[in-house]
Amino acid sequence: MQLRDVSPADKAEPHRQPVSLRTVSDSLDRLYPLGDDDRAAIDALPFRTVDCPANHFLVREGQRPEYCAMLLSGYTCRHKLAANGLRQNVSFQIPGDVLDAQQLEFARADHNLQTITAATVALVMKQDVQQLVDRHPTIRHALWRGALIEASIFREWVLNVGRREGIARVAHVLCEFAVRRQAAKLGPPDRFELPMTQEQIADATGLTPVHVNRMMQALGALGVIERNKRQVTIVNWDRMREVADFDPAYLHIA
Amino acid sequence: MQLRDVSPADKAEPHRQPVSLRTVSDSLDRLYPLGDDDRAAIDALPFRTVDCPANHFLVREGQRPEYCAMLLSGYTCRHKLAANGLRQNVSFQIPGDVLDAQQLEFARADHNLQTITAATVALVMKQDVQQLVDRHPTIRHALWRGALIEASIFREWVLNVGRREGIARVAHVLCEFAVRRQAAKLGPPDRFELPMTQEQIADATGLTPVHVNRMMQALGALGVIERNKRQVTIVNWDRMREVADFDPAYLHIA
DNA sequence: CGTAGGTTTGACTGATCTCAAGTTTGGTGG
DNA sequence: CCACCAAACTTGAGATCAGTCAAACCTACG
């Protein structure tokens, strides 16, 4: 956590391949139902894709990004750094997520955006997104809704980090990941491969990696999850919800 | 904090007086410059005012508010409750703030909204606000910007609660209050009356009231602030910023 | 297979909590 | 204007969850 690599962005490979923004328009459509014209407009957006390795910085605090990034595959996180060198993750993103709708409004980034795994990111120029939402109020609405949901997730995280004990914090992060993953049709909620390291979970929960490790073992000992490498199986969802104090209402999933 | 009064909303007095939404339109104008027609449209909004005592619930988690509330005077906070009975404040509001633009999008509230002090609140029907923003894109833009700034504040609070030590957490809350207060033209940043109790600061910082008390004394002992009742004077802003790890960039004040 | 990153373990430390008792403050009614 | 009361603030002492430090152990991958 604290003093480890926060080194300059590696150079990622710009890169052309037959990909589309389908993942993104599906995701936006789930936020707010789009019309055929809206989806067509998204498909027609000019963009380039970038393949990034794990731990690659997409945006750094203080930068003025010209592009709006959208996650086609892989996982990313937003984080901030405290003066004492500690890192705090404030959210995770999954494929289909628009990574910085907020950059349409703010010139300077107020946090970092970094890949967790290798990832493919679509970059669209800010002005093109601006034009898109100006012409397509429905898309604007979907983005607006997505931003409000993310704000709700931030509120839940403040609670998680501020008022829950260690085991609940870790369990809550697992529950949220499982549910969002399912909602995005990426797989079942009761068995999945965790993309993040225990250190990244520590930075999301305000704990140390050592303690996260112990809490995950404790969840195993309680019989609510089983683990094999990064694979997690939630054996008992009822007890898991209870231990995690997890109520998915804050995710505002249709 | 934990098990104290979370009792049903007191009945607040609906109440007519010669007040206007001027405070709110000034505040929105600071977020994004409005035209005369925009301001006129806000002034023309049908609303009623409610005078609420301190600790009055304006919205409870799970409710479906019909109104969009705007704070004319006094102070409020958003908070969530954990299953263990602990409370977490996720933000404070100051006069002029639109309290729940997000209710335009979500039917159910995902958190509580409660007064800190006695407060006057303007209630506007959701549909009237909806119509307003549909007809006035500039006002929509200002609300959008306000929501994004609040999201940025949430991110900073996750960091504050997750990764800063007690004294910095408390100092950071004081800095944020001072700066927002000044930006809203409510007074100078170096001397102000705190509207919230130490218990409410505890719920904002993820600490106990006892520890908040000790941290405020520690800030005094360090010579960065002076206290007299609820009155706080920031004696040394440079050291205060340092102790608090406070950088106002996240507030995105023009 | 060698190596770096990730995970696990153990022993000790410490920031913050808990509990419990005062003390001060601000509002209210006589 | 003062006495009273509840809420807010302080203080002290002991308890604990989580942190720190340091070493091993995996395990993926070049």
Side-chain angles (χ1 to χ4, degrees), chain A residues 193-224:
Chain A
E193 187 82 12
L194 271 184
M196 62 288 268
T197 64
Q198 293 180 5
E199 187 175 42
Q200 286 159 339
I201 294 174
D203 288 339
T205 51
L207 301 170
T208 55
V210 171
H211 204 60
V212 167
N213 181 275
R214 290 176 171 138
M215 292 305 99
M216 294 195 66
Q217 290 182 52
L219 286 171
L222 281 177
V224 298

Side-chain angles (χ1 to χ4, degrees), chain B:
Chain B
M1 28 167 290
Q2 45 277 63
L3 295 171
R4 63 152 186 259
D5 162 50
V6 185
S7 56
D10 333 8
K11 48 194 168 306
E13 302 294 315
H15 162 107
R16 293 219 161 271
Q17 54 179 40
V19 292
S20 76
L21 297 180
R22 175 57 50 87
T23 323
V24 175
S25 55
D26 284 351
S27 172
L28 288 172
D29 181 63
R30 257 175 254 119
L31 287 168
Y32 193 76
L34 304 181
D36 289 343
D37 54 328
D38 300 317
R39 304 189 61 118
I42 293 175
D43 285 343
L45 272 180
F47 69 100
R48 64 193 182 90
T49 62
V50 180
D51 280 341
C52 306
N55 302 313
H56 174 79
F57 274 84
L58 294 168
V59 179
R60 277 174 193 278
E61 190 170 345
Q63 276 184 342
R64 300 169 166 275
E66 294 168 54
Y67 294 94
C68 180
M70 306 178 185
L71 189 56
L72 300 184
S73 72
Y75 294 87
T76 63
C77 67
R78 290 183 206 288
H79 64 84
K80 305 192 76 159
L81 295 170
N84 56 19
L86 297 177
R87 180 184 302 217
Q88 177 68 47
N89 287 337
V90 298
S91 64
F92 294 117
Q93 288 74 45
I94 64 181
D97 282 356
V98 175
L99 298 180
D100 43 7
Q102 66 146 27
Q103 297 313 332
L104 296 178
E105 193 53 45
F106 301 139
R108 288 183 183 281
D110 56 44
H111 62 271
N112 306 290
L113 189 53
Q114 192 173 11
T115 60
I116 284 177
T117 62
T120 305
V121 172
L123 298 180
V124 186
M125 292 206 58
K126 278 169 67 166
Q127 65 203 53
D128 289 328
V129 180
Q130 192 61 63
Q131 199 179 69
L132 179 76
V133 299
D134 285 345
R135 292 181 184 169
H136 295 267
T138 311
I139 297 176
R140 185 205 300 283
H141 196 144
L143 282 176
W144 168 233
R145 202 175 154 89
L148 289 178
I149 290 175
E150 199 178 16
S152 175
I153 294 177
F154 295 145
R155 286 191 289 272
E156 185 69 27
W157 282 40
V158 176
L159 171 64
N160 198 42
V161 161
R163 289 304 194 198
R164 294 199 183 105
E165 55 181 18
I167 193 169
R169 294 189 207 178
V170 173
H172 198 278
V173 164
L174 297 183
C175 288
E176 180 179 300
F177 183 74
V179 168
R180 289 182 59 201
R181 194 171 166 285
Q182 177 187 36
K185 304 194 190 305
L186 296 170
D190 52 348
R191 186 187 197 82
F192 50 87
E193 187 82 12
L194 270 185
M196 63 288 268
T197 64
Q198 292 181 5
E199 187 175 42
Q200 287 159 339
I201 294 175
D203 288 339
T205 51
L207 301 170
T208 55
V210 171
H211 204 61
V212 167
N213 182 275
R214 290 175 171 140
M215 293 305 98
M216 293 194 67
Q217 290 182 52
L219 287 171
L222 281 177
V224 298
I225 67 172
E226 277 168 12
R227 299 184 302 141
N228 189 319
K229 318 272 167 68
R230 292 269 185 94
Q231 176 113 173
V232 173
T233 308
I234 298 180
V235 180
N236 185 335
W237 254 104
D238 283 345
R239 289 200 61 202
M240 182 67 171
R241 251 197 305 275
E242 207 169 282
V243 172
D245 186 19
F246 180 76
D247 173 352
Y250 75 96
L251 293 171
H252 297 278
I253 293 168

Side-chain angles (χ1 to χ4, degrees), chain A residues 130-141:
Chain A
Q130 193 61 63
Q131 198 179 71
L132 179 76
V133 300
D134 285 344
R135 292 180 183 170
H136 295 267
T138 311
I139 296 175
R140 184 204 300 283
H141 196 146

Side-chain angles (χ1 to χ4, degrees), chain A:
Chain A
M1 28 168 288
Q2 47 275 64
L3 295 172
R4 70 164 175 251
D5 163 49
V6 184
S7 55
D10 331 10
K11 49 193 170 306
E13 302 295 317
H15 163 105
R16 293 220 160 270
Q17 53 179 41
V19 291
S20 76
L21 297 180
R22 175 57 50 85
T23 323
V24 176
S25 55
D26 284 350
S27 173
L28 288 173
D29 181 62
R30 259 176 252 120
L31 287 169
Y32 192 77
L34 304 182
D36 289 342
D37 54 329
D38 300 317
R39 305 190 59 119
I42 294 174
D43 285 343
L45 273 178
F47 69 97
R48 63 192 182 92
T49 62
V50 179
D51 281 339
C52 306
N55 303 312
H56 174 80
F57 275 83
L58 295 167
V59 179
R60 278 174 193 278
E61 190 169 345
Q63 277 184 341
R64 301 169 165 275
E66 294 167 55
Y67 294 94
C68 179
M70 307 179 184
L71 189 57
L72 300 184
S73 72
Y75 295 87
T76 63
C77 67
R78 289 183 207 288
H79 63 83
K80 304 192 76 157
L81 295 170
N84 56 20
L86 296 177
R87 179 184 303 217
Q88 178 68 48
N89 288 336
V90 298
S91 64
F92 294 118
Q93 288 74 47
I94 64 181
D97 282 355
V98 175
L99 298 180
D100 45 7
Q102 67 146 28
Q103 298 312 333
L104 297 178
E105 193 53 45
F106 302 138
R108 286 184 185 280
D110 56 44
H111 62 271
N112 306 291
L113 189 53
Q114 192 173 11
T115 60
I116 285 177
T117 61
T120 305
V121 173
L123 298 180
V124 186
M125 293 206 57
K126 278 169 67 166
Q127 64 203 52
D128 290 328
V129 181
Q130 193 61 63
Q131 198 179 71
L132 179 76
V133 300
D134 285 344
R135 292 180 183 170
H136 295 267
T138 311
I139 296 175
R140 184 204 300 283
H141 196 146
L143 280 177
W144 168 234
R145 201 175 156 88
L148 289 177
I149 290 175
E150 199 177 16
S152 176
I153 293 178
F154 295 146
R155 287 191 290 271
E156 184 69 26
W157 282 39
V158 176
L159 171 63
N160 198 43
V161 162
R163 288 307 195 197
R164 294 199 184 105
E165 55 181 17
I167 193 169
R169 294 189 206 176
V170 173
H172 198 279
V173 164
L174 297 182
C175 287
E176 180 179 301
F177 183 74
V179 168
R180 289 182 60 201
R181 194 172 165 285
Q182 177 187 37
K185 302 192 189 308
L186 295 171
D190 53 347
R191 185 186 199 83
F192 49 87
E193 187 82 12
L194 271 184
M196 62 288 268
T197 64
Q198 293 180 5
E199 187 175 42
Q200 286 159 339
I201 294 174
D203 288 339
T205 51
L207 301 170
T208 55
V210 171
H211 204 60
V212 167
N213 181 275
R214 290 176 171 138
M215 292 305 99
M216 294 195 66
Q217 290 182 52
L219 286 171
L222 281 177
V224 298
I225 68 172
E226 278 169 11
R227 298 185 303 140
N228 189 319
K229 318 271 168 68
R230 294 271 184 91
Q231 177 113 172
V232 173
T233 308
I234 298 180
V235 180
N236 186 336
W237 254 104
D238 283 344
R239 291 201 61 204
M240 182 67 171
R241 253 197 303 275
E242 209 170 280
V243 173
D245 186 18
F246 180 76
D247 172 353
Y250 75 95
L251 293 171
H252 297 277
I253 293 167

